[in-house]
Amino acid sequence: MYGTSEIVDAVDAAAPVDAERTAFRRTEKLYKLYKTQAPKSWKNQAHRKADLSGVIDFHSVLESFKQCGATPAGIFKYECRGFNRPVFCFEERPGFYFIHGALTDDEQVHWIRESLISFPQPPNRTNHTEAYGPIFGLFDAVQNNKVLVEAKSTSSEVDCILGYDKTNLNSKRFSFSEYCMIKNNDESYKSVAASLLLRKLRWSTLGLQFDWSKRNYAVSLPHKRMPDDLCLVAKKMAVPAMPNGEEFQPEAAIVNYFGPSDMLGGHLDDMEKDWSKPIVSISLGCKAIFLLGGKSREDMPIAMFLRSGDIVLMAGEARACFHGVPRIFTDSEHADNVDLLSQFSNEADLCFREYIRTSRININIRQVN
């Protein structure tokens, strides 16, 4: 899910008049992050508070169900034989499944590490690939305060990837270097701090690579197989949404990285051939609001919280529903990430902790063919 629409910075100074906007867009505006005064003074201004009373909280839904066996109107608990996680569905959105607390704390930590260390590694493409070509070791460079500079020569591994990737028109090569080496060198280099690149990382693609310019999967691009352990998670969690007797076959994933003021506008994920197979969407990091609309942008969307460790499935009719993420929460009152942050308490984990403290990661896994 959340893969084929651009993640954008959502901060606005004031809400515009929206009389002509669609129902989906009006709802986005309700929850979108706004500053209370002029843009030039954003750094010193508080966020405009949003009314969250209409947002469904599946943590509360589950606790209430455990106590009295009841669910709110329009929501039901889905029973799936052999599946040991709580699954909830909406009567008006068939094909949508919400699995609250699907991943343990240890599993969340593992996938956060993988998302920051392994998933942006070439031949996987990221939003930085077009500008800089293959970038190896981004998170290691962040931990060691390195900068990315234009390189006079590159490894054969980089040259091999560039040779096969005909969509990368940038002939320049870049690699990480110590800042002091750049500072002491007489030559002029184009450089950018690794920490800035990480903060501007918005997506990476696993398995079959997605061509954003053509909005399809480019099988000719160099790629690795999907990680085996991620495939196992996806197959296990996809069970409630799979047709009887069939097993989910993960072939690609898009990993979205959300910064403090980022949003993902309403969109459809319609590039896969068989919509009877679900998109398996894993949430990590800060809590977010997810909007699930209908088949038209004029259908009023349902707002719900997504917490770290939650998983959403969208299959069948739900694949034709507009959906998006208008906001993530980074403040201590709403982020709901204290327990997760405690898992990164070692000094060696400082970079992970600082990143996930104000960020959200979404891994959405797909069966392409």
Side-chain angles (χ1 to χ4, degrees):
M1 104 190 330
Y2 330 150
T4 52
S5 182
E6 187 76 14
I7 294 178
V8 297
D9 190 304
V11 178
D12 283 343
V17 177
D18 56 11
E20 298 181 0
R21 297 186 184 277
T22 63
F24 196 100
R25 187 62 173 151
R26 289 195 300 271
T27 307
E28 281 183 327
K29 292 293 182 181
L30 287 177
Y31 301 116
K32 185 177 174 181
L33 183 65
Y34 290 101
K35 297 289 186 174
T36 57
Q37 296 187 19
K40 64 182 180 181
S41 56
W42 277 354
K43 289 184 178 180
N44 300 318
Q45 300 306 318
H47 297 154
R48 187 193 71 181
K49 288 190 175 182
D51 181 2
L52 304 178
S53 61
V55 183
I56 295 171
D57 186 341
F58 276 103
H59 177 74
S60 299
V61 171
L62 178 59
E63 292 305 308
S64 178
F65 183 83
K66 288 178 179 179
Q67 292 178 12
C68 61
T71 56
I75 298 175
F76 65 94
K77 188 173 185 296
Y78 180 74
E79 299 298 334
C80 180
R81 182 178 298 179
F83 193 79
N84 62 354
R85 303 288 199 283
V87 184
F88 292 96
C89 300
F90 294 104
E91 294 176 357
E92 296 183 353
R93 298 291 190 273
F96 179 86
Y97 305 82
F98 193 106
I99 311 173
H100 174 61
L103 300 182
T104 66
D105 287 348
D106 287 345
E107 289 171 324
Q108 293 171 51
V109 168
H110 173 75
W111 292 118
I112 289 170
R113 293 183 187 277
E114 289 294 289
S115 296
L116 295 176
I117 296 175
S118 302
F119 294 169
Q121 285 281 88
N124 299 338
R125 295 169 64 84
T126 75
N127 56 295
H128 293 316
T129 302
E130 183 176 355
Y132 301 107
I135 299 177
F136 288 86
L138 172 58
F139 198 77
D140 177 74
V142 173
Q143 291 178 306
N144 290 282
N145 297 312
K146 292 186 177 182
V147 295
L148 189 73
V149 297
E150 186 178 342
K152 293 182 178 180
S153 62
T154 54
S155 68
S156 58
E157 188 175 14
V158 172
D159 291 332
C160 180
I161 292 173
L162 288 170
Y164 283 99
D165 188 353
K166 303 303 182 184
T167 67
N168 182 19
L169 303 180
N170 182 12
S171 61
K172 296 181 179 180
R173 313 296 201 260
F174 291 81
S175 62
F176 287 111
S177 182
E178 301 290 343
Y179 176 71
C180 60
M181 292 176 61
I182 305 303
K183 190 175 181 181
N184 294 331
N185 198 305
D186 291 333
E187 297 185 48
S188 177
Y189 284 90
K190 177 182 178 181
S191 65
V192 57
S195 58
L196 181 60
L197 288 172
L198 180 63
R199 274 300 167 192
K200 290 184 176 293
L201 181 66
R202 290 296 174 264
W203 55 263
S204 63
T205 48
L206 314 181
L208 292 175
Q209 297 292 288
F210 191 80
D211 187 337
W212 296 85
S213 62
K214 298 178 181 179
R215 294 194 76 248
N216 62 20
Y217 291 94
V219 295
S220 62
L221 288 177
H223 63 274
K224 293 181 179 178
R225 287 180 52 191
M226 287 278 292
D228 289 341
D229 51 353
L230 186 60
C231 289
L232 289 175
V233 171
K235 289 180 179 182
K236 178 181 177 181
M237 293 300 167
V239 168
M242 288 297 294
N244 288 336
E246 295 189 37
E247 184 180 64
F248 186 62
Q249 300 297 327
E251 296 174 286
I254 299 176
V255 186
N256 293 131
Y257 303 84
F258 293 77
S261 60
D262 290 339
M263 67 171 291
L264 186 61
H267 66 283
L268 298 176
D269 290 310
D270 53 3
M271 292 298 102
E272 292 74 37
K273 294 180 179 179
D274 185 357
W275 284 12
S276 71
K277 307 303 187 296
I279 290 178
V280 180
S281 178
I282 302 172
S283 289
L284 301 166
C286 293
K287 185 171 70 177
I289 293 178
F290 176 66
L291 296 182
L292 175 64
K295 297 179 181 180
S296 165
R297 292 183 186 272
E298 289 295 348
D299 295 328
M300 186 61 67
I302 302 169
M304 66 199 81
F305 290 122
L306 279 173
R307 290 180 172 84
S308 190
D310 290 341
I311 289 181
V312 160
L313 311 176
M314 294 182 73
E317 290 186 43
R319 290 293 299 269
C321 292
F322 285 92
H323 55 278
V325 179
R327 185 168 182 173
I328 75 166
F329 296 95
T330 59
D331 60 290
S332 57
E333 181 182 358
H334 297 105
D336 279 1
N337 59 357
V338 174
D339 290 342
L340 180 62
L341 291 176
S342 69
Q343 304 296 311
F344 296 103
S345 57
N346 295 331
E347 185 176 350
D349 291 332
L350 178 62
C351 287
F352 292 104
R353 180 184 176 87
E354 285 303 301
Y355 180 88
I356 209 63
R357 183 176 60 84
T358 58
S359 304
R360 175 178 182 264
I361 298 172
N362 170 234
I363 308 171
N364 50 94
I365 307 153
R366 300 130 185 274
Q367 180 169 329
V368 176
N369 298 305

